[in-house]
Amino acid sequence: MPTSESEEQFGKHRSDCDMHQGDQQRRALLDPVTLRQCYLDADQYWRYSFKSLLSSRQLIEYIVLNIVPTGATVPGTSYSLAHAEIARVSDFGYNDTMFTITTHLGHLLNPGDYALGYDLYGANHNDMELEKYNGLDLPYAILIKKSYEEKRRQSKVKQRSWKLKNLDMEVDDATRAKLDQEKVSTEYEQFLRDLEENPELRFNISLYRDKELQASEIAASTNDGDDPPSVPLEELLADLEISDDESEEDESSMKE
């Protein structure tokens, strides 16, 4: 739990945030253990700069063994506080280590579900900033989001019914040689999965039906409840292409 020093620092941020309620460039920070919120604008973010102890590349998979909601929620969001018993998937078959933690994902997780999180129990914390908070008791793990990897491995649906449209970009040979294509492909695939899992993330993004798929294939690729999340058909736009001839006809009709 936060020490008095960290509480004071949080309070300093909170008082600053309260003075910028009208700023549209704010970013919300959420304490996953207490559901306390703070809002920072760009100036505050850079003024109180900090380093991350772990990055998204260090997320590991946990299985949820039990979960008990506390009833605490965040107004205006779906977050719900819960106590959870979890175990690292990588420990299966090697030990029976379990952890009891508090998570803000009580609205999503059920026993038997998988989740991605930061392993603070096994991480090597060698950070000068962290040492300033004497007596700070870090949780064993912080769950970040529900994981659908196991469902994806078991799913019979292998092709998406939708696609994104990208702008053509010219990349010179020198830049192309520096790119790690495997890394680029992996990050792009993760972005597509994030779009499928989070309706709010795709709110202002245009998703198009893949016209190369037959109607039967599109219907089979939608979520039936047991499959990993997918984009509903009603959210997809028709993939229209305007030929050069049609463009010229439109221009001629406008001139007339």
Side-chain angles (χ1 to χ4, degrees), residues 34-159:
T34 65
L35 294 188
R36 295 181 65 180
Q37 284 184 297
C38 177
Y39 296 90
L40 297 181
D41 60 25
D43 291 338
Q44 292 169 322
Y45 178 86
W46 294 112
R47 191 187 315 151
Y48 302 107
S49 60
F50 58 89
K51 294 192 306 179
S52 300
L53 289 177
L54 299 170
S55 71
S56 59
R57 298 182 185 278
Q58 295 166 288
L59 289 171
I60 69 169
E61 196 169 27
Y62 291 87
I63 185 170
V64 179
L65 305 175
N66 190 29
I67 192 157
V68 180
T70 67
T73 59
V74 178
T77 74
S78 56
Y79 295 129
S80 175
L81 204 64
H83 300 305
E85 290 184 3
I86 60 174
R88 292 174 294 205
V89 172
S90 60
D91 285 343
F92 277 18
Y94 296 95
N95 59 63
D96 56 357
T97 303
M98 296 184 297
F99 305 100
T100 300
I101 64 165
T102 303
T103 178
H104 64 301
L105 301 179
H107 62 297
L108 283 178
L109 300 177
N110 295 294
D113 285 343
Y114 293 82
L116 293 177
Y118 292 120
D119 181 12
L120 300 183
Y121 176 79
N124 182 19
H125 305 300
N126 185 18
D127 187 87
M128 297 295 294
E129 186 69 22
L130 191 62
E131 294 178 359
K132 296 179 181 179
Y133 302 99
N134 297 323
L136 179 62
D137 187 15
L138 292 175
Y140 294 119
I142 295 179
L143 301 183
I144 301 301
K145 64 177 183 177
K146 186 173 180 177
S147 173
Y148 299 93
E149 293 306 310
E150 185 64 25
K151 285 190 175 183
R152 286 191 173 95
R153 287 191 287 266
Q154 298 175 357
S155 175
K156 298 179 181 179
V157 178
K158 302 300 180 183
Q159 191 169 4

Side-chain angles (χ1 to χ4, degrees), residues 172-196:
D172 57 58
D173 294 337
T175 302
R176 185 177 289 105
K178 295 179 181 178
L179 291 176
D180 185 341
Q181 293 299 332
E182 183 177 354
K183 176 183 175 182
V184 171
S185 298
T186 299
E187 292 181 347
Y188 184 67
E189 173 63 23
Q190 185 57 56
F191 172 65
L192 297 181
R193 293 182 179 184
D194 288 342
L195 289 178
E196 290 174 326

